[in-house]
Amino acid sequence: MTGAGNQPPGDQAARERALDPQRSFIVQAPAGSGKTEILVQRYLRLVGREAEPDAVLAITFTRKAAAEMRERVARSLREAAQDNSHAPPHRRRSLDLAWRALEQSVRRGWDLLDNPARLRIITIDSLGSWLAASSPVSSGGGALGNLRSDAKALYEMAARMLLHDGIRHGDEDAQELLRHLDGSGQKFIQRVAAMLAKREQWLPLLGAVDNAEAFNAALRNLAGRDLGRMLERLGEYRGEFERVFANCWVKDGESNDPSSPDALPGWARAAEGLLTKKGAWRDRLNKKLSVSRELEQALRGSGDFRERLCRVRILGSPDYEDAHAKRAQSVMRVLRGAFAQLKVLFAQRRETDYTEVSQAALKALGHGDPPSLLAERLDTRLRHILVDEFQDTSRAQLDLLRQMTREWQDGDGRTVFMVGDPMQSIYGFREADVRGYLSVREQGLANLKPELLQLTVNFRSTPALVDWFNRIFPRVFPTEGDTLMGAVAYTPCQPAPEARPQSGLQPEGADVKLHYFRNSDRETEVEIVGKVVRDTLANHPDGTIGILVRSRTHGEDISNALGNAGIAVSRTEFDRRKRISVVQDLAAIARALAQLSDRIAWLAVLRAPWCGLSLKDLHALCHDAPGDIIPDLLRDSARVERLSRDGRERLARVAPVLEQALRLRGQLDFRSWVEGTWLALGGPAGAADKNAARHAAEFLDSLGEASQGSQIDNAVERTLKL
């Protein structure tokens, strides 16, 4: 990739090195650095060298990213087969690599142009599902149910059942945790459910960390590590500080070794002596403590030391108090019970989540020697793995990659290539853990030691924006990275060579303006966005404006407001969704459950494919009872007898489901309530569109977001805008 004027970017050497097919790399690629193009180029380079295309596996984090990468590869192959002499310079390298892949395709008879499905570009969740299904007995994958992208409702259900059983049977551990949470059952459910979502992180520890000694050892290790890192910041002045520490802040009987956890009381006194109550350095440290001016300057010049000192001042003993250790043990036993309850729920409902799939895939690959048959088969065919958005892998997914590459060695012709940006780790809700990226960067993956490459050029943003990023974000990110704590420091970027603002919308040197508002204050947010758009268009009437939104629900508020103001808005995705049949069915259920008096919604539910009452039967059911709600009419046996025989048979199956749904009012979050009702009615079976499951998930995700902290009837309208 080259910048404007065909001048190569400042990180061109790293981009060229990334195409070395013999080496493994971990690439740190910030926003706008062209990481997808790097992935595509390396993928094409490897495919052009291998005996089979499935020897190269590209893994992405989302289906959308997989589709984008697959399309980019296919487009490069198509363009390479044509006259590309007029292609821009930054595309020529990709097309040259694509041409070599086509030559290999011809030699090997792959016919990639007509059979792009032979290219293995999939999501990491699809990989886990495939591995589990490939060895159903050893993995337990044969017992896995339907995959739920968001299993929060099941986590909460398991926690609720555990709480009820604990209260009913007088379980001391459940009651201990409940007392700690001020007797709030809702807090109990929320905390346990949140831990179930992260269970791959603590399940391995349940057997090893279940006593006070183990808890104390872990806490002391963490404290000692943090103190040691503080002392390292002082460099050559560490010795002088240690002498001051021992003389000024250590009392009789306490440790005078500042790197020991037993020295925490002395550190607390040191913090009081060095810092003000607001955490700033006190004046004239050298006179009060008789330290050299050089040490004082070293202290004042280390923002990281001061930040850590602020934390140290609130620490007490490096050991758990007896009451705290007892409570921690109770929590561990509660979690063990919650996990067992969740496994029962998964089996009963024939459902599963990403963590279960990942664990099944790991079992399929095997952990010991000899390797499983599936692992041997993979090891024979698979030679290269490329991972996109590597910073968003979870601990379980990283374990899966380690198992897949455990026999690989540097220099044996098999490579891994991981691209990501730890500064952009955003999928914490899906248990993404940026510490995985940091640990692989420092320690490697299994026996492989990938070389770190850093891309620094931002092709997407103007120089003014890049300058703003470099000025502001170092204040937002930690001053120093920390793998154990998952802390990531900011890495500066640079604009592309000869980059200029596009469309004249942002003149050189223009500053960035920030507008602040509360999350719940959407009206103010929409008003501010509308004003910014109007002002910008007034100054640049021929320009176009892109607006990034958090979700479709969020985007609809803004696009509707702009449309009402007479501003043309491209909102294809928003409008298209409303015409999808599965979304219309879910919308009817959501409205019906939210408002029992919404006759149109209830009639739509009864008319939908899972019930299919005729118009004649609907008329017979309710035409002479305009003041009654439909649920009451369904309970009137005499009125139901008016229906045709076919109508009565259809209603006999559906009415109990709707009645059960109404009994669950207030017991589930709105999203789970709607989804559970849809599943019980058999909604998925009536959805003919192959993308129905994805459309349903997107709608339900938007509904769940819109229903947070608001009335459910308002949430439906905010989501649907129908």
Side-chain angles (χ1 to χ4, degrees), residues 1-73:
M1 180 173 290
T2 59
N6 302 337
Q7 182 181 348
D11 55 7
Q12 186 63 27
R15 296 174 188 275
E16 291 294 330
R17 182 121 178 93
L19 301 181
D20 183 346
Q22 301 294 333
R23 292 281 303 155
S24 294
F25 298 100
I26 180 168
V27 182
Q28 183 164 331
S33 61
K35 69 175 181 60
T36 305
E37 191 73 8
I38 289 287
L39 274 167
V40 168
Q41 288 180 352
R42 182 170 177 93
Y43 184 86
L44 290 169
R45 177 68 180 272
L46 295 172
V47 168
R49 292 169 50 90
E50 293 299 326
E52 294 294 337
D54 60 2
V56 185
L57 172 64
I59 303 172
T60 67
F61 191 67
T62 65
R63 288 189 294 268
K64 182 177 180 181
E68 178 187 356
M69 184 175 176
R70 191 178 297 112
E71 171 55 28
R72 286 206 186 191
V73 171

Side-chain angles (χ1 to χ4, degrees), residues 25 72 75 89 147 160 283-284 298 414 421 426 558 693:
F25 298 100
R72 286 206 186 191
R75 187 177 75 236
L147 179 63
R160 185 178 293 107
D283 296 333
R284 304 172 69 184
R414 294 176 291 187
D421 181 9
I426 61 173
I558 294 173

Side-chain angles (χ1 to χ4, degrees), residues 209-219 319-322 324-326 328-329:
V209 186
D210 58 0
N211 56 69
E213 290 76 15
F215 288 136
N216 288 337
L219 186 62
D319 297 318
Y320 278 88
E321 297 178 7
D322 291 342
H324 293 165
K326 178 183 176 182
Q329 290 173 283

Side-chain angles (χ1 to χ4, degrees), residues 226-227 230 264 267-268 271 308-315:
D226 215 35
L227 295 177
M230 290 179 67
L264 277 175
W267 275 104
R308 291 175 183 267
L309 194 59
C310 288
R311 295 200 297 269
V312 165
R313 76 191 308 177
I314 64 174
L315 296 178

Side-chain angles (χ1 to χ4, degrees), residues 564-643:
N564 293 336
I567 298 173
V569 179
S570 175
R571 41 178 287 166
T572 305
E573 285 295 314
F574 302 138
D575 292 333
R576 181 180 62 82
R577 185 180 61 166
K578 299 175 185 178
R579 297 192 295 269
I580 298 171
S581 60
V582 68
V583 171
Q584 292 174 344
D585 293 340
L586 283 165
I589 295 174
R591 280 201 171 110
L593 294 179
Q595 288 289 348
L596 300 185
S597 59
D598 190 334
R599 278 204 160 201
I600 294 177
W602 277 95
L603 292 176
V605 170
L606 298 176
R607 180 68 172 160
W610 51 72
C611 183
L613 286 186
S614 66
L615 294 176
K616 183 177 180 180
D617 281 337
L618 291 177
H619 181 74
L621 179 68
C622 62
H623 81 282
D624 59 347
D628 295 334
I629 61 174
I630 298 297
D632 286 346
L633 299 181
L634 295 177
R635 300 183 185 109
D636 187 341
S637 57
R639 184 172 292 274
V640 171
E641 283 298 317
R642 299 180 184 178
L643 276 59

Side-chain angles (χ1 to χ4, degrees), residues 24 43 54 61 127 151 163 198 225 299 326 348 364 372 428 481 492 502 509 619 667 685 691 714 720:
S24 294
Y43 184 86
D54 60 2
F61 191 67
L127 173 65
L163 176 60
K198 300 179 174 66
R225 175 184 175 278
L299 290 173
K326 178 183 176 182
Q348 290 176 341
S372 68
Q502 298 180 358
H619 181 74
Q667 299 183 38
N691 295 315
N714 294 333
L720 304 174

